[in-house]
Amino acid sequence: MSKVIKLLIILCVFVVTLPIGAAKAQNYEALFRNFSTNGLTYTERRFLQAALAFEGHYVGLFDGDWGRMSREAMQRYTVNEFGSQPEEWHTAMLALSFFERYQRDGWDMRYFPVLKMSLMLPLKTLIVDAPTEHLLNYRHRNSTLAVSVGRHSVATASNLHRYTMNAHSTTETPYSVRKDNIAISTATTRDGTKLYTRSNYIDGGWSTIMVSAKSWDLNTLQAVSSSIAKGNSAPLDITKGGKLIEVVKKTVAFSTSADQTDIEPPRTSIKPDRKRGSGSGFVVSDRGHVLTNAHVVEGCSAILVDGISGTLVDTSSEFDLALLQAKLGDSKSVAVFSASPAMLNSDVTAVGFPYAGLLGGINVTRGSISSLKGLGGDSNTFQITAPVQSGNSGGPVLASDGEVVGVVVSKLDATLMAQKGGDVPQNVNFAIRGEIAKLFLAQNQVEAILSLDNVPLAPEQLAKSAANFTTFIECK
């Protein structure tokens, strides 16, 4: 892992804190100019193509060129995420989304000398399965992605493509390419599994790569298939001191300085509201009750829940919880709490709205419960490794079945710890226990919905479910 990538991962996990004077001195106007590839190196453009592929907007080679497909993919991404045409700061958000994957799974290019081909794989979370007669087999621990590779005769390669085509079971026409030196076959099976098989004729033999995944991991499959290249492809990295890392650093710094100094960006189409603060919450009753942190709504003259005026029902300084109520109608569903306590090392997902007005949408991060007690042995909280940022406070912490097991409350101050302990803590964050949250709700005559189903959800299904009950809280 390069030093540049390590730095950007730290930026992704921890907010860059500037002295107020330095923040005011910064010139952020350039962040809100129309996006241009001028100044981006080949490596940086290639990195952004990979990020766009994971977001589901780019299906093309990671070639570093920025042609029509790349331009249209970037436009789809910014319109979908931010409701605007591409601007310079959008590249920082795009890059940060990929840094998180890079950190968690180790996505990077891998060269197979026997095949004389390269492709992108999750090197930190790649499981090696037993080989079959013609293929070496791998799968991704955190998704349904599976990859098989092999060097074959024309007869064996033909059989693999025939297998792929015969597996197709939908009415849509499968994509197929047949040329002298390349063959590509795609299929969708009856259960929705996507298949992609590619063979290249190289030095007298056929090098074959087969990729498959369930429908909810289609973006991952497309990203991997787009990465396939002949020869030893360069690692996914960005240029030290280049334009992209500078845009990321300035964007994260702007997020902090806008919080500290009430700076407004120059363009009204994307500027954050001039508010005292913001955070996250989630719906806990069909009467419009919303749970969040007390510190999120402390001192507010007005509170908005997803833009709708809300009222403060009660707060608890002891638990750092607040109960709101707003007329949300049918726009939101009600969160379901786990009937059992969270378990040590169990998988969790934190959901919320960090860097409000800059990230432009709901954010989902994954991790585990690393301690059943909080800072200093606090029994009201537990520790999680899921990354959280400014604005995540009050959002739900979900078990793998989508049930609430906690409420995000804080993160360890990385700068302070570095000063006092000489080390930067990695993903040390805290959540209020679900049992405490249920007690607070009961004290306010709100009965939490409980479940004992414990049926794991696919990550994409969990995120979709969470988006239906997680809310954006604004304090005016």
Side-chain angles (χ1 to χ4, degrees):
M1 184 184 296
S2 76
K3 291 181 179 178
V4 179
I5 293 294
K6 287 181 179 179
L7 172 60
L8 288 166
I9 288 172
I10 292 172
L11 288 176
C12 182
V13 177
F14 299 107
V15 176
V16 174
T17 303
L18 297 177
I20 291 178
K24 288 183 176 178
Q26 290 283 345
N27 177 16
Y28 297 109
E29 184 176 353
L31 291 176
F32 306 100
R33 294 173 183 164
N34 292 335
F35 166 66
S36 171
T37 57
N38 293 339
L40 288 176
T41 65
Y42 159 83
T43 305
E44 291 170 331
R45 295 194 301 269
R46 187 164 169 261
F47 194 93
L48 291 176
Q49 287 175 332
L52 285 168
F54 271 115
E55 294 295 322
H57 299 293
Y58 181 70
V59 182
L61 300 177
F62 297 172
D63 55 11
D65 292 334
W66 204 265
R68 177 184 58 82
M69 292 179 65
S70 298
R71 292 194 300 271
E72 291 178 351
M74 188 68 182
Q75 185 175 43
R76 285 192 295 270
Y77 167 73
T78 61
V79 170
N80 183 68
E81 295 293 326
F82 310 104
S84 70
Q85 295 299 306
E87 296 176 349
E88 291 289 348
W89 69 276
H90 293 153
T91 63
M93 299 299 103
L94 179 60
L96 287 171
S97 72
F98 190 34
F99 299 151
E100 185 182 339
R101 295 178 186 272
Y102 192 108
Q103 180 192 33
R104 183 182 67 239
D105 294 334
W107 288 98
D108 210 339
M109 300 300 296
R110 174 172 174 178
Y111 178 58
F112 289 86
V114 174
L115 274 65
K116 297 185 178 180
M117 297 183 72
S118 303
L119 74 156
M120 181 176 63
L121 291 171
L123 303 182
K124 286 170 58 176
T125 49
L126 191 66
I127 297 173
V128 180
D129 286 332
T132 51
E133 182 180 1
H134 298 293
L135 297 165
L136 300 177
N137 302 304
Y138 308 88
R139 55 190 169 89
H140 182 205
R141 188 174 66 208
N142 294 335
S143 75
T144 59
L145 177 77
V147 177
S148 298
V149 302
R151 179 84 168 162
H152 308 117
S153 66
V154 63
T156 299
S158 297
N159 286 337
L160 293 174
H161 284 271
R162 189 175 300 112
Y163 165 82
T164 301
M165 298 298 288
N166 289 342
H168 188 71
S169 300
T170 68
T171 56
E172 64 183 35
T173 303
Y175 178 73
S176 177
V177 172
R178 297 292 185 270
K179 295 183 179 180
D180 290 342
N181 59 355
I182 187 171
I184 298 175
S185 302
T186 66
T188 303
T189 66
R190 192 178 305 278
D191 67 354
T193 299
K194 307 291 183 178
L195 305 178
Y196 175 93
T197 301
R198 170 174 167 170
S199 298
N200 281 76
Y201 186 72
I202 303 173
D203 294 343
W206 288 89
S207 297
T208 298
I209 297 174
M210 304 181 73
V211 187
S212 68
K214 296 293 186 182
S215 57
W216 54 82
D217 288 321
L218 178 60
N219 289 357
T220 302
L221 179 145
Q222 290 180 338
V224 171
S225 60
S226 293
S227 74
I228 298 173
K230 293 174 61 176
N232 191 351
S233 186
L236 291 172
D237 202 351
I238 60 176
T239 306
K240 182 179 180 180
K243 176 183 176 181
L244 183 56
I245 191 171
E246 293 306 314
V247 171
V248 172
K249 288 163 65 178
K250 185 169 285 191
T251 299
V252 177
F254 170 77
S255 172
T256 304
S257 64
D259 243 1
Q260 294 175 346
T261 65
D262 209 24
I263 293 174
E264 287 186 83
R267 299 175 61 124
T268 57
S269 62
I270 47 75
K271 72 177 182 181
D273 291 338
R274 294 174 60 95
K275 50 185 171 287
R276 179 175 293 227
S278 65
S280 307
F282 56 101
V283 180
V284 292
S285 84
D286 57 9
R287 292 174 288 159
H289 288 106
V290 174
L291 189 64
T292 187
N293 287 149
H295 74 260
V296 169
V297 295
E298 183 179 2
C300 300
S301 59
I303 300 171
L304 298 180
V305 180
D306 282 353
I308 298 171
S309 179
T311 57
L312 181 60
V313 177
D314 189 25
T315 63
S316 169
S317 58
E318 179 185 2
F319 298 149
D320 196 358
L321 290 172
L323 185 64
L324 313 176
Q325 192 167 19
K327 295 181 179 179
L328 301 175
D330 297 328
S331 61
K332 291 289 185 178
S333 59
V334 179
V336 175
F337 281 76
S338 174
S340 55
M343 303 296 289
L344 185 65
N345 203 35
S346 59
D347 293 336
V348 291
T349 299
V351 186
F353 293 87
Y355 304 138
L358 199 58
L359 290 186
I362 196 167
N363 187 265
V364 177
T365 58
R366 295 162 65 185
S368 63
I369 295 178
S370 51
S371 175
L372 292 178
K373 290 191 175 182
L375 195 61
D378 179 15
S379 58
N380 289 338
T381 61
F382 55 76
Q383 183 179 325
I384 60 174
T385 63
V388 300
Q389 314 294 350
S390 175
N392 270 113
S393 293
V397 176
L398 308 175
S400 59
D401 55 6
E403 296 170 6
V404 177
V405 293
V407 183
V408 175
V409 67
S410 64
K411 60 185 289 183
L412 199 61
D413 190 318
T415 303
L416 181 62
M417 288 299 295
Q419 292 172 349
K420 291 187 175 296
D423 191 20
V424 177
Q426 299 293 313
N427 294 350
V428 180
N429 308 305
F430 301 98
I432 300 164
R433 302 180 68 88
E435 305 91 90
I436 299 297
K438 287 183 284 187
L439 172 62
F440 175 69
L441 293 178
Q443 291 171 345
N444 287 280
Q445 291 77 52
V446 175
E447 185 176 353
I449 300 176
L450 304 181
S451 174
L452 281 169
D453 288 346
N454 298 325
V455 178
L457 299 177
E460 291 75 11
Q461 292 174 316
L462 188 150
K464 185 176 181 180
S465 173
N468 288 333
F469 55 73
T470 307
T471 62
F472 177 45
I473 309 296
E474 296 174 89
C475 175
K476 299 291 188 179

